[in-house]
Amino acid sequence: MTDINTNEEVSKKSLNFIEAFVASDLAEGKNGGRMQTRFPPEPNGYLHIGHAKAICLDFGIAEQYNGICNLRFDDTNPEKEDTEYVDAIKEDIEWLGFKWENIYYASDYFQQVWDFAVKMIKEGKAYVDEQSAEEIARQKGTPTQPGVASPYRDRPIEESLDLFNRMNAGEFEEGAMILRAKIDMASSNMHFRDPIMYRIIKFPHHRTGDAWKAYPMYDFAHGESDYIEGVTHSLCTLEFEVHRPLYDYFIDQIKTADDYRPRQIEFNRLNLTYTVMSKRKLLELVKENLVNGWDDPRMPTICGFRRRGFTSTSVRNFIDRIGYTKYDGIVDVALLEHAVREDLNLKAGRVSAVLNPIKLIITNYPEGQVEMMETVNNPEDESKGSREVAFTRELFIEREDFLEDAPKKFFRMTPGQEVRLKSAYILKCTGCKKAADGSIEEIYAEYDPQTRSGMPESNRKVKGTLHWVSAEHSLPAEVRLYDRLFTAENPLEEKDKSFEELLNPDSLKVLTNCRVEMSLGEAKAYDNFQFQRLGYFNIDPDSTSEHLVFNRTVSLKDSWGKMKDKR
Ligand code: ATP
Ligand code: MG
């Protein structure tokens, strides 16, 4: 495994290397003092949290320097793209809290980019190659060995122009020919060995339909699109660093103004432990039904995290913390979960829910009596006030909170021992009823009426405090518990194992028999709560008033906080 990015302070400062470039360009008066970025997703899948890192940078730095950021769909691969993805991408950016200045599509520039290519052919800087992809690959050479020139390299300009037009008219099959830049087959930068500019794709485009049959490659289209739009700082991930000379080269072939050229700056990708961070890989999980769609709460997609109950603030705080560097690494997902807890601690209302209920009967509590117990909604936020929760003779508590033969340090419910019920009374357990097979069916206890929360006697020293719900005044609910999607820290490193083999069999557990306090019947989809003693949960959009469904966002146990304390 590569280094786990645990040092927040170091990476926080390193955001400065991008800011420093921008600040110095502005100080030198470059681009007439303009500052413009773009976020350029390919609409071939839903955005993941790695994209959130790029979004926070592209939009954030534009805001910081009074510039603008446009959303550009990099739609040059019609076979893989779809308007479904376009819509989802817009929704996710808005959810993160960013606003684009304009929406553009690389396909808007197909004519202009085509004209640039024609200009290059006319200047003898591009040619149509009719060799197969395999042949071309064989001729590439190695970094230490020059490549072999294509026999078509020096064909007449007129011939290339004619073929280029016919490529686009649909006269040839896919793969029959391509347009290549004529640069340098001996260049030490492999990307300069006559890179491909255009290929034939006979698949309708989601925006331009059948108008085009020849489509530009990323290396050609991306820089030209940046140039056409007037992007000043083109921020992208580190794998494009080796493409930068080619990016500059292509722009140099077409640029007219002396004073302007977009500047590409690279930063490290976000990788997270126990998941994969690539739309293509995530699509595989969706297609093979290994997850329940792109917004499955176990997915590292923005919509998956949203459905799981992560807040946009927590995602942005996490991105701020990991910062931007020049080194690739892998970030512990526990740091993201830590950011989620931090934010939900401030925002989520505390409520009672019992995931694995067993009935508790308070034998000395009057039948039919209902007391309303005042409960603070969020101890971290006084303005959230309090509510009243019904207390009755019959309650539900967690099955795990009772043991008939308990070890000494079991401070929960066991015969003869006192325990406190949160916001209610102190109880002494008196026994239980067992079924023929030995399983516990009911628990019995007596309460001390002098110990109601707030009374002087309630301060009596009792070690355990349990959560509970009233049997009558509670609602049935389904609760979905999520864990890491993969068992491997870095699934892509496990080359000889399939996704299916690497999947964590316990990544989803559905509990159908839970009970939650009455007030949750009014909650709306995506509302966040803390189930006391259990963790943070939210309402899943599948939830209805007849059938409540909750997702566990994160448990209360903070493995990141612990790791930090140890350091
Ligand atoms: P994927 O393999 O997931 O499709 P991509 O890089 O091909 O990733 P694009 O839609 O082309 O996805 O990316 C849009 C922008 O998001 C690019 O600028 C890209 O560099 C950035 N980006 C993609 N993945 C990450 C990541 N893991 N961390 C940071 N930025 C990313
Ligand atoms: Mg891509």
Side-chain angles (χ1 to χ4, degrees), residues 9-40:
E9 295 316 311
V10 169
S11 39
K12 209 172 200 172
K13 281 187 203 124
S14 56
L15 175 64
N16 293 341
F17 84 90
I18 305 169
E19 290 173 325
F21 280 135
V22 173
S24 86
D25 286 351
L26 287 173
E28 285 172 32
K30 275 195 191 163
N31 309 311
R34 265 185 339 103
M35 188 321 177
Q36 183 175 324
T37 59
R38 83 290 169 264
F39 173 62

Side-chain angles (χ1 to χ4, degrees), residues 78-79 167 170-178 199-204 213 215:
E79 286 160 295
M167 271 169 68
E171 281 188 39
F172 309 114
E173 291 313 306
E174 289 186 14
M177 53 188 73
I178 53 170
R199 80 279 202 213
I200 300 169
I201 299 175
K202 292 187 162 175
F203 193 92
K213 302 276 186 300
Y215 288 90

Side-chain angles (χ1 to χ4, degrees), residues 440-452:
I440 314 275
E441 287 186 321
E442 276 174 4
I443 304 166
Y444 305 113
E446 289 179 353
Y447 85 120
D448 179 345
Q450 303 309 312
T451 58
R452 182 173 161 153

Side-chain angles (χ1 to χ4, degrees), residues 32-76:
R34 265 185 339 103
M35 188 321 177
Q36 183 175 324
T37 59
R38 83 290 169 264
F39 173 62
E42 183 180 354
N44 62 347
Y46 285 66
L47 297 183
H48 49 63
I49 189 155
H51 292 110
K53 175 171 177 171
I55 290 169
C56 289
L57 179 62
D58 291 326
F59 286 90
I61 204 162
E63 212 171 272
Q64 189 182 339
Y65 291 97
N66 296 317
I68 59 171
C69 179
N70 295 310
L71 170 58
R72 181 204 313 147
F73 289 102
D74 217 337
D75 53 350
T76 54

Side-chain angles (χ1 to χ4, degrees), residues 38-55 57-58 72 74 89 218 222 234-240 267-272 276-282 294 319 322 324 328:
R38 83 290 169 264
F39 173 62
E42 183 180 354
N44 62 347
Y46 285 66
L47 297 183
H48 49 63
I49 189 155
H51 292 110
K53 175 171 177 171
I55 290 169
L57 179 62
D58 291 326
R72 181 204 313 147
D74 217 337
I89 288 170
Y218 177 91
H222 200 85
S234 181
L235 312 176
C236 62
T237 35
L238 281 175
E239 70 272 23
F240 293 107
F267 61 91
N268 63 329
R269 288 181 92 80
L270 170 60
N271 297 302
L272 269 188
V276 290
M277 203 69 80
S278 139
K279 285 188 241 114
R280 195 167 51 80
K281 299 279 178 202
L282 296 173
W294 286 98
I319 303 281
I322 55 172
Y324 299 85
D328 272 321

Side-chain angles (χ1 to χ4, degrees), residues 345-359:
N345 180 41
L346 304 175
K347 291 178 180 162
R350 272 55 167 174
V351 295
S352 288
V354 177
L355 300 189
N356 186 12
I358 184 157
K359 193 168 269 182

Side-chain angles (χ1 to χ4, degrees), residues 352-355 357 396 469-479 511-518 520-521 531 539 543-550:
S352 288
V354 177
L355 300 189
F396 287 114
V469 294
S470 157
E472 195 188 337
H473 300 261
S474 62
L475 301 167
E478 173 181 325
V479 175
L511 308 178
T512 52
N513 196 24
C514 313
R515 303 290 303 190
V516 300
E517 70 168 70
M518 207 67 134
L520 289 173
F531 287 1
I539 303 248
S543 192
T544 65
S545 49
E546 283 74 47
H547 184 82
L548 294 175
V549 182
F550 293 86

Side-chain angles (χ1 to χ4, degrees), residues 295-306:
D295 69 342
D296 185 307
R298 292 167 294 176
M299 290 279 270
T301 50
I302 296 179
C303 56
F305 282 145
R306 175 165 66 232

